[in-house]
Amino acid sequence: MKCILSILISLLLQRVLFAQDIAISKTVAAPVADELYPNMSIKSIMTPTGWGSVGTYVFGGMGGSLPQPYKDYNDLVAGAGIGFGNFYKVASVAAIWNINNVSKFNNFSGSVIASRHLWKGSSISAGALHLFVEKSKSDPGPSYYIVFSHAVQKSPSRNFMVSWLNYSIGVGNGRFYNKSPKDRAEGKGSFGTALFGNISYEAFKNCNINVEWTGLNLAVGTAWRPSYKWPAIAIGVADITSLSGSPRFIFSFGHAFMLTNNR
């Protein structure tokens, strides 16, 4: 379960980076003329997106599961790191250090996510999550993935330079493919699809309704960020079907502080 939550916080922080960059687009010329972007809120909780960034940032956040799958107690993780580079020119990179057990502060891992803009409204990311973890204290093995994201260019919202419809599709191993020992013991199989994806609809300004397929199960949620000066907050329900785990409440929040803008 620790691996799932460290993935959650790593992906949240990646999205906070990009959201912080888009928030300043009103005052900085857009790298691609007439391009519609995703809004500054979160597009998914449990699955990656392909969006990157164009500056140098520090950031932090926290996420949790209430309760853990197959458990009667809750779990909480946190993370912090730095993002740098320009995903329009070469690439952007986010390096994240995860605290996989906030209560005991004795279980850590690292994550690295690299992103590149492809064409108008489209971007791609590759990530390595849950690296350097102590196997005796957490679920074994890292997770690697690649994901494509697109902001639909024919769906402008009332929000400046924003599309109200975004989606991502990707493939990965680890927690995007392998089910837990408890899943196997419960007769739910050993593997998921490895393919994952998410769709995000902007219900109103900077507030999204998100649907995700994690590779193992279905999740739905909502997210809101009033402005770039406020943290990004998301809540949802994971493992909705009987394919893995059990239904549970999930949440995450995070914030980024821009140091330099490389656009």
Side-chain angles (χ1 to χ4, degrees):
M1 180 56 203
K2 296 296 185 183
C3 178
I4 295 174
L5 284 177
S6 69
I7 289 173
L8 182 151
I9 199 67
S10 298
L11 301 180
L12 164 73
L13 295 176
Q14 178 213 14
R15 289 186 292 273
V16 169
L17 284 176
F18 184 72
Q20 187 82 355
D21 172 54
I22 295 305
I24 65 172
S25 63
K26 292 184 179 181
T27 58
V28 181
V32 177
D34 302 321
E35 181 172 8
L36 295 180
Y37 300 89
N39 65 21
M40 67 177 68
S41 190
I42 294 171
K43 312 300 176 298
S44 60
I45 302 180
M46 300 294 291
T47 50
T49 71
W51 305 112
S53 58
V54 297
T56 302
Y57 308 81
V58 293
F59 50 89
M62 186 172 291
S65 173
L66 312 173
Q68 290 191 46
Y70 300 114
K71 304 290 185 180
D72 57 2
Y73 54 85
N74 305 324
D75 206 359
L76 189 66
V77 298
I82 187 170
F84 54 91
N86 186 325
F87 85 135
Y88 281 95
K89 295 181 178 180
V90 180
S92 64
V93 177
I96 305 159
W97 190 245
N98 306 300
I99 304 169
N100 300 322
N101 192 327
V102 172
S103 61
K104 295 183 178 180
F105 209 77
N106 65 350
N107 185 350
F108 307 95
S109 65
S111 302
V112 179
I113 301 169
S115 306
R116 168 70 186 183
H117 185 268
L118 297 177
W119 55 80
K120 185 180 290 188
S122 301
S123 183
I124 193 169
S125 289
L129 310 176
H130 205 57
L131 304 174
F132 319 120
V133 69
E134 293 184 49
K135 292 185 178 181
S136 62
K137 296 180 179 179
S138 188
D139 298 342
S143 297
Y144 301 95
Y145 71 88
I146 186 168
V147 59
F148 168 83
S149 290
H150 182 68
V152 178
Q153 297 299 288
K154 294 184 179 181
S155 301
S157 80
R158 295 180 180 180
N159 204 354
F160 181 76
M161 296 176 64
V162 161
S163 171
W164 58 262
L165 184 62
N166 304 266
Y167 65 85
S168 300
I169 185 168
V171 61
N173 65 0
R175 285 305 179 183
F176 304 106
Y177 181 60
N178 298 318
K179 295 188 178 182
S180 70
K182 186 64 175 179
D183 283 334
R184 294 192 287 271
E186 293 285 328
K188 297 183 179 182
S190 299
F191 304 108
T193 61
L195 293 173
F196 60 85
N198 53 71
I199 299 175
S200 178
Y201 164 74
E202 185 183 60
F204 57 89
K205 186 175 181 179
N206 297 328
C207 181
N208 299 329
I209 297 173
N210 307 317
V211 179
E212 312 173 54
W213 173 255
T214 67
L216 304 180
N217 214 318
L218 187 68
V220 297
T222 186
W224 185 46
R225 193 179 192 193
S227 77
Y228 74 92
K229 296 180 181 179
W230 288 81
I233 302 170
I235 59 174
V237 178
D239 290 352
I240 293 174
T241 76
S242 61
L243 295 174
S244 67
S246 55
R248 66 191 192 279
F249 173 76
I250 54 175
F251 72 92
S252 60
F253 64 90
H255 193 54
F257 300 92
M258 185 175 64
L259 304 178
T260 64
N261 174 35
N262 298 333
R263 185 181 290 177

